[in-house]
Amino acid sequence: MKKEEVKNWFETLQDNICNELEKADGKAKFHEDIWTREDGGGGRSRVLTDGNVIEKGGVMFSAVSGDLPEKIQKALKLPSCTFFATGVSIVIHPKNPMVPIIHMNVRYFETSTGNNWFGGGIDLTPHYIDQDDAKYFHQKLKETCDKHNDNYYPDFKKWADNYFFIPHRNETRGIGGIFFDRLTENEKFTINDRFNFVKDIGSLFAPIYTYFMDKNKDLAFTKQEKEWQLLRRSRYVEFNLVYDAGTKFGLETNGRIESILVSMPPLAKWEYDFKPEKESKEEKTLNLLKKDIDWLTS
């Protein structure tokens, strides 16, 4: 497996996802920016706004290279070296609060010292948690993981629960999903095995999210439910700016700031000391923002 093969596959993945999202939205088209990074590499940033279903969505591809910054060398426990990193990152913010926010990232990283690995994940952030939707989402993830290894889903789900957690709020960002990092070659898996797994996860994005778009886009919602959506978006902002590793990596490697912050919603709201009404849909959602929920049986 060569890095050019991975890069080319990620570019094709971006094309396919953009095409499927445009068809499902039925109105808006992605605007594309081609950019180059001064220190090496570049990417294609595609953003869709003001669609029928999608209020703002970004499907970003990048392939960057250069000297590995000293701070990242220390974090990864690597000597001075050069690096290559490529991947696709997606965040979709819908108009209707009954349609969930979704995020996916699939990526590959290698260094001149011979290190290489895959990472990524996919997670769902409903404004209102629907247990049937949660079960559908996690069932699709489990089916895909099980094709490669029986331990992938339980291990990567737990990793997602811990990663997509907002400590200062003591709540998960949403209903989780899977998260994995530094999947490299070992005695059990070749690097091509890891790549095939990442391909299947990447290919899962469009059918999963277009399912939720089609299912929930026409559901009625109230002004109160729209206000709740803005509050939930603010939690998304807090996580991405304070804890998200991809945001930090982009900033620390002199990445393109517009592409790094494309995950931000078009509108969000912070209300002082907000508390939902007892036994409301909002309170029920908050009570389900916890780690280690078995969504397949709950």
Side-chain angles (χ1 to χ4, degrees):
M1 184 202 75
K2 296 182 178 179
K3 64 184 180 183
E4 289 80 12
E5 178 186 356
V6 182
K7 171 182 173 290
N8 292 340
W9 192 86
F10 283 153
E11 285 183 297
T12 301
L13 177 66
Q14 183 194 38
D15 290 338
N16 292 341
I17 288 173
C18 288
N19 290 336
E20 292 302 313
L21 290 177
E22 285 181 350
K23 284 194 294 185
D25 184 86
K27 176 188 174 184
K29 301 295 183 182
F30 280 95
H31 168 78
E32 179 178 88
D33 287 323
I34 305 293
W35 54 273
T36 57
R37 176 176 172 270
E38 184 176 341
D39 296 331
R44 305 187 306 196
S45 296
R46 293 179 181 170
V47 178
L48 182 154
T49 57
D50 196 28
N52 285 327
V53 186
I54 299 171
E55 188 167 356
K56 179 187 175 186
V59 181
M60 324 302 281
F61 163 81
S62 64
V64 298
S65 58
D67 293 328
L68 191 65
E70 185 176 348
K71 188 174 182 179
I72 297 179
Q73 290 176 29
K74 291 180 179 178
L76 298 178
K77 299 180 180 179
L78 292 172
S80 178
C81 61
T82 60
F83 79 97
F84 171 81
T86 185
V88 171
S89 183
I90 306 166
V91 176
I92 307 294
H93 292 284
K95 283 186 173 180
N96 190 321
M98 303 308 163
V99 181
I101 302 167
I102 195 168
H103 157 263
M104 185 185 77
N105 173 266
V106 283
R107 58 188 182 273
Y108 172 73
F109 183 85
E110 73 172 43
T111 70
S112 57
T113 54
N115 302 92
N116 64 340
W117 62 76
F118 286 95
I122 178 171
D123 69 293
L124 201 69
T125 305
H127 309 97
Y128 290 96
I129 293 177
D130 178 291
Q131 303 242 1
D132 289 339
D133 283 355
K135 183 175 182 178
Y136 175 88
F137 178 65
H138 278 271
Q139 186 62 50
K140 292 298 182 183
L141 292 180
K142 184 177 186 302
E143 289 170 3
T144 303
C145 288
D146 286 353
K147 287 169 54 180
H148 297 269
N149 187 271
D150 289 344
N151 292 323
Y152 272 3
Y153 176 74
D155 289 350
F156 297 163
K157 178 191 179 296
K158 187 174 184 63
W159 203 339
D161 282 351
N162 290 327
Y163 181 78
F164 296 110
F165 183 72
I166 308 173
H168 64 266
R169 297 287 187 181
N170 194 33
E171 63 187 45
T172 54
R173 188 170 77 175
I175 62 166
I178 59 170
F179 181 83
F180 50 91
D181 200 12
R182 304 192 75 166
L183 298 187
T184 190
E185 186 164 303
N186 58 26
E187 66 281 356
K188 193 170 185 179
F189 300 101
T190 68
I191 197 66
N192 279 310
D193 292 334
R194 303 298 203 181
F195 188 24
N196 288 332
F197 169 65
V198 167
K199 285 180 179 179
D200 281 350
I201 294 300
S203 299
L204 190 61
F205 178 89
I208 278 185
Y209 198 61
T210 55
Y211 168 83
F212 288 124
M213 290 171 69
D214 293 340
K215 176 178 178 291
N216 296 337
K217 65 183 180 180
D218 295 323
L219 295 177
F221 59 89
T222 65
K223 181 180 178 181
Q224 177 181 332
E225 289 165 341
K226 190 67 179 177
E227 289 291 303
W228 174 250
Q229 179 186 39
L230 298 181
L231 289 173
R232 295 313 307 163
R233 284 177 173 180
S234 73
R235 299 290 207 267
Y236 209 90
V237 171
E238 290 175 17
F239 177 86
N240 279 29
L241 292 182
V242 178
Y243 302 110
D244 185 72
T247 301
K248 293 178 180 179
F249 180 83
L251 295 174
E252 290 168 358
T253 55
N254 195 30
R256 182 174 184 262
I257 192 64
E258 290 299 323
S259 300
I260 295 167
L261 297 183
V262 75
S263 63
M264 297 297 102
L267 291 172
K269 182 177 180 179
W270 284 262
E271 184 172 325
Y272 178 74
D273 199 26
F274 175 84
K275 291 183 175 57
E277 294 181 12
K278 294 291 184 182
E279 299 185 2
S280 65
K281 291 195 303 180
E282 292 78 14
E283 184 185 62
K284 290 177 182 177
T285 286
L286 282 180
N287 289 339
L288 287 170
L289 296 175
K290 302 181 185 304
K291 299 180 183 181
D292 302 321
I293 293 177
D294 183 354
W295 297 104
L296 298 175
T297 59
S298 61

